[in-house]
Amino acid sequence: MRGRDSRWAKVAGATAVVLLGAGCGTGGGGGDSAFGRDAAQAEIVAAVEKAGLPESDLPGAGGATPTDATPGPAPSTERERLQERAAACSAAWQYVGPPVDGSRPGVEKAVTALVGEDWVQGERQVEKLDEKGGTMLQITLRKRGWVLYARHTGAQQGLGVEIVALHATETACMNRFTEQERKVLFGEDAEQG
C-alpha cells in the first residue's frame, strides 16, 4: 500500500474497532445503493462462516449490541467524530485472541468465497514478523467501489496473539473527507504521498 491507500488502511483498522465495538447499525455509506454497506457486510460474514474462521467475541458490525453492554460514549473530539463517520463507510469482521489452528488457511478460504461473489483479488503481501515463524498476510480485493483488506497476523513470540480481519471501505464515501479532516484523522501521514 502506498500514499492515500495506506492512510485509509490505517483509519480502516482504527474504525473497525469503533464499528465492531459499538455494534453500529448498517446504514449505507453512499455510492452504489445496489451494493452498499449492508451488502458488503453480508458478503464478509458469509465468507467468514464458509471459511470456518474462529468466532469473534466482539459484536459484529450491524449486529445487536449485547444487552449487558454499555453503549459507547458519544464522540467528544473532532477525531472521534471523524472516526465515527469513517466507520459509516466500512464493513468489517475481526478476531483478536489466542492462536487458532487453521485460521490462516481460513483467510485464504474466505478470500476464495469473496472472489466467488465477484470481488477481484489484487495484491498479496506476506511479511515475516519474527524468527519463530510469525507472519502477516494481507490480500486486497475490490468490488464496485469498495476496497477490502483480508489480513492474518500471527506472532509466535511474546503473547502469541492472532489477529484475523476482513475490512472493506467504500472509496466514494471515504473521498468525502476534506484535506483538513484527513489531517485530523491521519496526522502527519495526511501530508505524505
Side-chain angles (χ1 to χ4, degrees):
M1 290 181 296
R2 290 181 179 25
R4 190 173 193 181
D5 285 342
S6 175
R7 292 189 310 268
W8 286 127
K10 289 177 186 176
V11 163
T15 57
V17 173
V18 171
L19 182 69
L20 292 166
C24 295
T26 56
D32 183 352
S33 62
F35 188 75
R37 183 172 176 216
D38 290 339
Q41 184 66 39
E43 288 182 2
I44 289 170
V45 169
V48 164
E49 290 172 357
K50 189 173 189 177
L53 287 167
E55 287 190 29
S56 177
D57 288 337
L58 299 173
T65 302
T67 55
D68 61 346
T70 304
S76 61
T77 66
E78 181 63 13
R79 187 163 197 258
E80 288 173 351
R81 284 186 282 281
L82 291 171
Q83 286 175 332
E84 192 170 88
R85 260 183 60 204
C89 300
S90 303
W93 175 92
Q94 73 177 7
Y95 167 83
V96 179
V100 176
D101 286 339
S103 61
R104 178 147 175 183
V107 171
E108 302 279 0
K109 289 177 186 174
V111 167
T112 299
L114 289 166
V115 168
E117 293 293 332
D118 298 326
W119 287 84
V120 177
Q121 186 174 333
E123 114 182 39
R124 175 187 187 91
Q125 299 174 325
V126 179
E127 284 184 42
K128 183 178 176 181
L129 298 178
D130 59 45
E131 297 301 319
K132 293 187 178 184
T135 60
M136 189 280 296
L137 165 70
Q138 176 174 286
I139 302 170
T140 305
L141 299 109
R142 288 180 165 64
K143 179 177 179 176
R144 298 172 72 178
W146 285 76
V147 178
L148 184 146
Y149 297 100
R151 296 182 179 103
H152 175 273
T153 305
Q156 301 303 312
Q157 293 181 350
L159 298 175
V161 172
E162 187 168 49
I163 302 169
V164 181
L166 283 82
H167 188 269
T169 56
E170 184 183 22
T171 304
C173 183
M174 295 301 278
N175 284 341
R176 292 186 192 121
F177 288 85
T178 66
E179 183 178 340
Q180 181 58 39
E181 290 170 331
R182 287 190 298 270
K183 286 180 183 177
V184 171
L185 274 171
F186 307 118
E188 291 180 22
D189 288 340
E191 306 280 333
Q192 300 170 6

